[in-house]
Amino acid sequence: MHCPPLKITFLGTGTSSGVPMIACNCTVCTSADKKDKRLRSSILVESDSTSFVVDTTPDFRYQMLRANVKKLDAVLFTHPHKDHVAGLDDVRAFNFFQQKAMPVYSNSLTEEALKREFAYAFSDKKYPGVPELNLITINDQPFYIGDIPVLPIEVWHHKMPVLGFRFGRFTYITDANRIEVAEQEKIKGTDVLVLNALRKEKHISHYNLDEAVAEVQGLQIAQSYFTHISHQLGRHQDVNAVLPKGIELAWDGMELLFEELPL
């Protein structure tokens, strides 16, 4: 699949509670380092002609304002947990200015959750001003959003199937703690992999730091970034300093640029 030049912007790199966490006085939550300020995890994917977000977090409105996003062509969802879908209502602004419904790509599990949690957007008699959404069901088959190729990668979040995505040379996976061998094959050859690394202690449904390091090293990825980070992981500069070569923590506002991928 041909891929144009891409810019990836990290809109948020925090776990479901964000960092700082409400009412917490730990050294991470009280840190003055801007890289220890993490909104909920999401990215903006852009080519010259197409732009879309992966997930609409509870911070979606502020993330759009902070990144100065004026055009959004679609929303692509990884899974239906609240910290990844809660901000969907705020696509209303793009509906208003772009004068069209927002294409929303998700698997059937997420689609059902959206219909449940945003029922007012799908009712037969809609109240004026509700978000206009065009649901598009996806599975494991590759597809395009505008001129950007999307390769879904199914991973496991404990017992929940979650979609990661590969865009050309870049792969984004969040909320996972297991990747089957067949799906690992889709990742191989990626220049940059983003993977969740929640904390140092083991977790039932997320990779911890050691597991995330082992996963990216096993896949032989040259450069990896960790996201979906909790305050329990430690301060950004302290953790970054001890990570193996080619592995770093992502941070809010970080941008990655990718040149055109030849046919």
Side-chain angles (χ1 to χ4, degrees):
M1 298 175 75
H2 174 71
C3 188
L6 295 180
K7 180 170 81 167
I8 309 294
T9 304
F10 287 78
L11 301 171
T13 56
T15 190
S16 58
S17 59
V19 183
M21 184 177 180
I22 292 172
C24 184
N25 292 315
C26 76
T27 57
V28 178
C29 290
T30 56
S31 169
D33 186 348
K34 70 175 185 178
K35 292 181 180 178
D36 287 321
K37 313 297 182 187
R38 302 182 185 277
L39 301 180
R40 270 61 74 93
S41 289
S42 174
I43 57 171
L44 174 67
V45 182
E46 298 175 280
S47 69
D48 284 343
S49 62
T50 304
S51 61
F52 60 86
V53 292
V54 178
D55 293 335
T56 55
T57 80
D59 305 308
F60 176 71
R61 174 183 171 274
Y62 179 56
Q63 288 169 335
M64 294 296 93
L65 293 170
R66 184 170 68 173
N68 195 31
V69 178
K70 301 296 186 184
K71 180 179 83 81
L72 197 67
D73 295 305
V75 172
L76 177 61
F77 280 117
T78 59
H79 69 296
H81 281 167
K82 187 69 80 174
D83 55 319
H84 293 263
V85 305
L88 182 61
D89 183 84
D90 281 319
V91 303
R92 289 180 296 131
F94 293 111
N95 293 150
F96 177 79
F97 287 111
Q98 296 173 183
Q99 288 296 294
K100 61 181 180 180
M102 180 64 68
V104 175
Y105 295 82
S106 69
N107 62 13
S108 56
L109 180 70
T110 303
E111 188 174 293
E112 289 306 310
L114 297 177
K115 289 177 180 177
R116 220 171 32 245
E117 296 185 27
F118 299 94
Y120 57 90
F122 303 101
S123 63
D124 293 335
K125 294 182 179 180
K126 295 185 179 69
Y127 190 84
V130 301
E132 298 173 49
L133 308 171
N134 177 23
L135 296 182
I136 302 166
T137 309
I138 61 175
N139 47 37
D140 61 349
Q141 296 302 302
F143 61 97
Y144 277 86
I145 298 178
D147 63 344
I148 301 176
V150 182
L151 176 62
I153 300 166
E154 187 178 77
V155 299
W156 290 97
H157 186 33
H158 190 39
K159 296 181 180 180
M160 174 182 281
V162 169
L163 292 180
F165 301 104
R166 180 169 176 171
F167 315 110
R169 295 189 175 102
F170 173 81
T171 298
Y172 181 78
I173 295 172
T174 184
D175 289 59
N177 68 333
R178 182 164 56 90
I179 307 173
E180 302 284 4
V181 172
E183 299 301 294
Q184 290 179 1
E185 290 299 316
K186 298 179 182 178
I187 302 168
K188 290 181 178 178
T190 295
D191 286 351
V192 175
L193 169 63
V194 176
L195 190 66
N196 61 298
L198 184 71
R199 63 190 191 189
K200 293 173 183 174
E201 297 80 14
K202 194 166 180 63
H203 190 272
I204 190 173
S205 60
H206 284 274
Y207 286 118
N208 67 12
L209 186 62
D210 288 343
E211 291 166 341
V213 168
E215 188 68 48
V216 299
Q217 288 181 334
L219 290 166
Q220 299 181 321
I221 305 297
Q223 180 64 56
S224 297
Y225 295 95
F226 292 156
T227 191
H228 213 288
I229 293 163
S230 80
H231 66 147
Q232 295 168 309
L233 185 62
R235 295 197 308 164
H236 182 98
Q237 65 175 12
D238 296 336
V239 178
N240 242 12
V242 298
L243 288 175
K245 183 180 179 181
I247 303 176
E248 301 175 47
L249 300 186
W251 45 275
D252 287 24
M254 186 176 78
E255 296 179 354
L256 301 175
L257 299 176
F258 296 86
E259 296 180 355
E260 187 172 7
L261 182 65
L263 291 170

